mmCIF file of all heavy atoms in Angstrom:
data_model
loop_
_atom_site.group_PDB
_atom_site.id
_atom_site.type_symbol
_atom_site.label_atom_id
_atom_site.label_comp_id
_atom_site.label_asym_id
_atom_site.label_seq_id
_atom_site.Cartn_x
_atom_site.Cartn_y
_atom_site.Cartn_z
ATOM 1 N N LYS G 58 44.918 86.520 88.890
ATOM 2 C CA LYS G 58 43.796 86.499 89.832
ATOM 3 C C LYS G 58 43.106 85.168 89.715
ATOM 4 O O LYS G 58 42.236 84.999 88.953
ATOM 5 C CB LYS G 58 42.845 87.652 89.509
ATOM 6 C CG LYS G 58 43.518 89.036 89.636
ATOM 7 C CD LYS G 58 42.582 90.141 89.403
ATOM 8 C CE LYS G 58 43.112 91.457 89.575
ATOM 9 N NZ LYS G 58 42.310 92.616 89.193
ATOM 10 N N PHE G 59 43.491 84.230 90.537
ATOM 11 C CA PHE G 59 42.872 82.929 90.620
ATOM 12 C C PHE G 59 41.503 83.062 91.297
ATOM 13 O O PHE G 59 41.319 83.914 92.146
ATOM 14 C CB PHE G 59 43.725 81.866 91.391
ATOM 15 C CG PHE G 59 45.015 81.490 90.673
ATOM 16 C CD1 PHE G 59 46.088 82.192 90.889
ATOM 17 C CD2 PHE G 59 44.988 80.438 89.826
ATOM 18 C CE1 PHE G 59 47.296 81.806 90.263
ATOM 19 C CE2 PHE G 59 46.103 80.009 89.208
ATOM 20 C CZ PHE G 59 47.291 80.725 89.424
ATOM 21 N N GLY G 60 40.629 82.071 90.989
ATOM 22 C CA GLY G 60 39.396 81.947 91.797
ATOM 23 C C GLY G 60 39.756 81.349 93.053
ATOM 24 O O GLY G 60 40.864 80.835 93.302
ATOM 25 N N LYS G 61 38.813 81.286 93.959
ATOM 26 C CA LYS G 61 39.084 80.751 95.328
ATOM 27 C C LYS G 61 39.593 79.320 95.252
ATOM 28 O O LYS G 61 40.547 78.990 95.938
ATOM 29 C CB LYS G 61 37.790 80.836 96.170
ATOM 30 C CG LYS G 61 37.422 82.259 96.545
ATOM 31 C CD LYS G 61 36.263 82.225 97.527
ATOM 32 C CE LYS G 61 35.883 83.682 98.000
ATOM 33 N NZ LYS G 61 34.728 83.601 98.842
ATOM 34 N N ILE G 62 38.931 78.536 94.448
ATOM 35 C CA ILE G 62 39.290 77.088 94.351
ATOM 36 C C ILE G 62 40.758 76.969 93.819
ATOM 37 O O ILE G 62 41.555 76.253 94.285
ATOM 38 C CB ILE G 62 38.327 76.274 93.434
ATOM 39 C CG1 ILE G 62 36.930 76.236 94.152
ATOM 40 C CG2 ILE G 62 38.788 74.861 93.296
ATOM 41 C CD1 ILE G 62 35.898 75.599 93.322
ATOM 42 N N CYS G 63 40.992 77.721 92.659
ATOM 43 C CA CYS G 63 42.318 77.638 92.076
ATOM 44 C C CYS G 63 43.410 78.173 93.055
ATOM 45 O O CYS G 63 44.494 77.674 93.042
ATOM 46 C CB CYS G 63 42.366 78.495 90.738
ATOM 47 S SG CYS G 63 41.279 77.861 89.462
ATOM 48 N N LEU G 64 43.047 79.194 93.780
ATOM 49 C CA LEU G 64 43.963 79.708 94.728
ATOM 50 C C LEU G 64 44.329 78.772 95.804
ATOM 51 O O LEU G 64 45.519 78.636 96.165
ATOM 52 C CB LEU G 64 43.371 80.993 95.257
ATOM 53 C CG LEU G 64 44.367 81.935 96.100
ATOM 54 C CD1 LEU G 64 45.506 82.347 95.131
ATOM 55 C CD2 LEU G 64 43.580 83.142 96.664
ATOM 56 N N VAL G 65 43.363 78.067 96.261
ATOM 57 C CA VAL G 65 43.604 77.055 97.309
ATOM 58 C C VAL G 65 44.503 75.972 96.790
ATOM 59 O O VAL G 65 45.426 75.492 97.376
ATOM 60 C CB VAL G 65 42.242 76.407 97.865
ATOM 61 C CG1 VAL G 65 42.470 75.225 98.720
ATOM 62 C CG2 VAL G 65 41.525 77.476 98.647
ATOM 63 N N CYS G 66 44.178 75.458 95.579
ATOM 64 C CA CYS G 66 45.032 74.400 94.895
ATOM 65 C C CYS G 66 46.423 74.903 94.677
ATOM 66 O O CYS G 66 47.344 74.151 94.869
ATOM 67 C CB CYS G 66 44.353 74.079 93.563
ATOM 68 S SG CYS G 66 42.779 73.119 93.716
ATOM 69 N N PHE G 67 46.525 76.177 94.300
ATOM 70 C CA PHE G 67 47.915 76.716 94.066
ATOM 71 C C PHE G 67 48.709 76.674 95.395
ATOM 72 O O PHE G 67 49.833 76.258 95.341
ATOM 73 C CB PHE G 67 47.723 78.167 93.602
ATOM 74 C CG PHE G 67 49.093 78.876 93.470
ATOM 75 C CD1 PHE G 67 49.994 78.676 92.439
ATOM 76 C CD2 PHE G 67 49.448 79.805 94.465
ATOM 77 C CE1 PHE G 67 51.117 79.333 92.365
ATOM 78 C CE2 PHE G 67 50.620 80.446 94.442
ATOM 79 C CZ PHE G 67 51.439 80.191 93.389
ATOM 80 N N PHE G 68 48.129 77.153 96.454
ATOM 81 C CA PHE G 68 48.885 77.242 97.725
ATOM 82 C C PHE G 68 49.148 75.861 98.261
ATOM 83 O O PHE G 68 50.162 75.570 98.850
ATOM 84 C CB PHE G 68 48.153 78.114 98.712
ATOM 85 C CG PHE G 68 48.410 79.564 98.528
ATOM 86 C CD1 PHE G 68 47.407 80.365 98.061
ATOM 87 C CD2 PHE G 68 49.674 80.082 98.737
ATOM 88 C CE1 PHE G 68 47.689 81.674 97.840
ATOM 89 C CE2 PHE G 68 49.932 81.440 98.553
ATOM 90 C CZ PHE G 68 48.935 82.253 98.086
ATOM 91 N N LEU G 69 48.215 74.876 98.030
ATOM 92 C CA LEU G 69 48.420 73.471 98.459
ATOM 93 C C LEU G 69 49.666 72.895 97.749
ATOM 94 O O LEU G 69 50.507 72.211 98.250
ATOM 95 C CB LEU G 69 47.220 72.675 98.250
ATOM 96 C CG LEU G 69 46.060 72.829 99.306
ATOM 97 C CD1 LEU G 69 44.865 72.019 98.861
ATOM 98 C CD2 LEU G 69 46.477 72.398 100.617
#
Side-chain angles (χ1 to χ4, degrees):
K58 296 181 179 178
F59 288 92
K61 289 184 178 180
I62 296 177
C63 293
L64 192 59
V65 170
C66 291
F67 171 79
F68 279 109
L69 285 173

